[in-house]
Amino acid sequence: MKKQILLFFTILFLTNAFGQREHYWQQHADYTMDIDVDAEKFQFKGRQKLIYTNNSPDELHKVFYHLQFNAFQPGSDMDIRLQSIPDPDSRMSINEGTRENPDYKSRIAALGPDEIGYQKIQSLLQDGKEVDYEVSGTILIVNLNQPLQPGSKTTLEMNFDGQVPVHIRRAGRNNQDGVALSMAQWYPKLAEYDVDGWQLDQYIAREFHGVWGDFDVTIHIDKDYVIGGTGYLQNPQEVGHGYEDPAKKLNLPKGKKLSWHFVAPRVHDFTWAADPDYIHEKVLGENDVELHFFYKNDKPEVVENWEKLPEKTQKILSYFNKHIGKYPYKQYSVIQGGDGGMEYAMCTLIAGGKNFGSLVGTTAHEFAHSWFQFLLATNELKYYWMDEGFTQYISASCMNEVMDQKKELPNSNSYNGYFYLVKNGKQEPLTTLADHFDSNFVYGISAYSKGSIFLSQLGYIIGKENLDKTLLKYYDDYKFTHPTPTDFKRTAEKISGIQLEWYINYWINSTKVIDYAVDSLEDNSITLKRIGSMPMPLDVHVVYEDGSTEDFNIPLRKMYGHKPTEAKVLESWPWVKETYVFKTDKKAVEVKIDPKNLMADVNRENNQVKKTE
C-alpha cells in the first residue's frame, strides 16, 4: 500500500509539473563524479555515484549506460558506418581518391591502441552490492540485483577508466585548432527510459538524448590547464584562471594539480574542455547571465574575432529571451574546442574563428540549441528536425537582426536546400531515424532545411503572430521535459484555433510535395489548380485592370479555421478537389499565389499569370 501511495503522489506531482500532458512522467538521475586526469597520456580515472529515480509506472529489471568513447575504435559501429555510407563526414574520413572518383577511408579504422577512445568499467555496485554487467559496443547493460520499482530510487556506484581519442568527431584530443581536450560524451551516461522504452542507439556520430538530473563534478588536472564547460564553478578562488573574484585573495593549493568543482542543476549532460593556452573572458548578459569565452591565444586574426564576439553574444541572448523564453541558468560558455559547432548543457564547443560572421553565426545557432535541445529536450534520434530545424529557423532570424542582414526571408537558404533535395529525388520522410538516412547529405537537408521550413511555413498557415506566440507558449509549457511533435502541434492548435494534424502528416510523415498553379485568368474569373499531392491554404494577390490590388486567403477545409489576415477570406478548399474557381469584383490582369514565397512550392514558375496587351 505504501508503494501505491508513493506512486500516486509521484504521478500527481508530475501531472502538476507537466500539466500539458496528463500522465506524463520522466526519469531522474543525480550524478556525483570525481575525475583525475593524466593530461600527458590523455587518460583519466573516474568515480561516479548515480542516484536513479524511477518515475515510470514500470518495474525495471535492467538499466543501460552509453559508453560513447568506445565508438572511436576500429571495428565499431561508427567505423563501419563510415566505410559504408556513400558520403562519410569529411572530418571523420580521408579521401584517397579524387573529387570525381572518391576513395574514402575511415580515420577510426587507422587508430592505434594509444589513439582510440574507451570507457572501461572497473567496478559497479547497486546499493552497495556488486551487480552483473556487460558491454555491447557503446552500450553498457546492467542486470539489477533488485528490480527498481515505480517511484523508488537506487544508487549505482562505478569506477571507470577513460582514454580520450584523437579528435575525430565532437570530442577528443588535440583537434585542428590545437585544443588539448574537448570532453563531450566522456563519462558513462545513463540511457533514457521513456514512454517508448529504453533509447539504446549505438553511437555513430549523430546527437544525444539524456535523463534530466543534477550534476556534481570535480575534475583534477594540471595547474596550467584552463577549464570551461557545463555548470557553476564552486571554488573559483582555489583555481583562478579568470574565474576568481579579484577583490578576494586566491587560495591555490600546493601540488601539480587543481581541483575544479562544478555543480549543474537540472541538465541532462555535462561537457567540458581544457587547454593550457586558453584566454578566458567573461561579460554579463541580460538577466545577469555570465557569458564566458574560452579561446586559443595563438592566431592574431582569430583572437581579434573572438574579442569582438562577447558583444554580439549579449545581443543573441537577448533575442532568444524575447522570442523563445527566458534562459533559466546563470551561465553560458562559448568555447573554442569543436569541429564546427556543437551544443551542450550551458556551453558550446566551436571550431575556428577566422571569419567573424561565421563565428557569430555558429554561436547564434549553438546558443539557440540551449533552448531547443537542452531545455526542450526532444529525442534527437527521432525528432532531430524539432531541434535542428527549429534552431535553424530562430538563429537565422536572430542573425538577420543582430548582424543587420535585412533579409525578407531569413531562412531562404533552407528553401533552396529543400528544393534541391526534391529535384534530385532524394527526399526521405522526417520519420526516418537520424542514423538511418541513406546519406549524410539527405539527413542534413532534412533535419536543418525541412525542419526550418516547418516553422516558417506554419507561420504562413496560422499567421506569423500566432507562430511567435506558439514558440513562446511551447517553451513555457515544455521546458525541462522531453516534448514530442504532438506536444508542439497541440500548442499551435490551441494558440491559433486551427487544426494541424494534416500538416504533420504531410510535411513530416511523407515526402509529398506542394505545387499550386494559376490555371487560368479570364477577366474576373480565376482558376487555381493543385498539382502536387500536399494540400495547403493559399494567399493570392490580384492586380486589377485599373491598377488597384486585392489580397485573398483561401483556407484549407481540413484547417477548420483561417489565420488572422487583412485579406478577403474565401470559401475553404477541400483537399479532394484539384481545382478551385473564384470570381473578383473587377477585371483582373495579374494573379500570384503566395507572393511572400513562404510556401515551399516546388515549382514557383506556375504561381503567377500576368495578362499582357
Side-chain angles (χ1 to χ4, degrees), residues 323-357:
H323 293 279
I324 313 175
K326 182 181 176 182
Y327 181 73
Y329 305 116
K330 287 299 181 183
Q331 152 335 88
Y332 185 80
S333 296
V334 184
I335 306 166
Q336 185 180 13
D339 48 28
M342 179 60 196
E343 73 277 7
Y344 299 101
M346 298 193 202
C347 68
T348 178
L349 301 183
I350 292 176
K354 290 183 179 179
N355 180 285
F356 182 64

Side-chain angles (χ1 to χ4, degrees), residues 36 81 209 269 343 421 434:
D36 189 54
R81 179 65 167 167
H209 191 45
D269 200 8
E343 73 277 7
L421 203 64

Side-chain angles (χ1 to χ4, degrees), residues 334-381:
V334 184
I335 306 166
Q336 185 180 13
D339 48 28
M342 179 60 196
E343 73 277 7
Y344 299 101
M346 298 193 202
C347 68
T348 178
L349 301 183
I350 292 176
K354 290 183 179 179
N355 180 285
F356 182 64
S358 177
L359 180 62
V360 176
T362 304
T363 300
H365 183 89
E366 303 309 332
F367 203 173
H369 277 299
S370 288
W371 283 260
F372 287 123
Q373 171 53 17
F374 276 93
L375 290 163
L376 295 161
T378 55
N379 185 341
E380 285 193 274
L381 295 166

Side-chain angles (χ1 to χ4, degrees), residues 526 539-544 546-553 566-570 582-586 590-592 595:
I526 298 169
D539 286 341
V540 182
H541 180 72
V542 176
V543 180
Y544 294 120
D546 62 7
S548 62
T549 64
E550 190 171 11
D551 293 311
F552 298 88
N553 176 258
E566 295 180 358
K568 183 177 181 179
V569 180
L570 302 178
F582 71 98
K583 296 186 181 296
T584 58
D585 293 334
K586 295 187 289 186
E590 184 179 350
V591 179
K592 185 174 184 180

Side-chain angles (χ1 to χ4, degrees), residues 461 493 496-502 537 554-563 569 572-575:
I461 295 167
E493 287 179 335
S496 67
I498 290 172
Q499 298 301 304
L500 295 167
E501 183 70 22
W502 63 273
I554 306 172
L556 184 66
R557 181 168 293 179
K558 290 177 71 67
M559 293 163 55
Y560 297 102
H562 62 81
K563 67 182 176 183
V569 180
S572 61
W573 186 341
W575 72 272

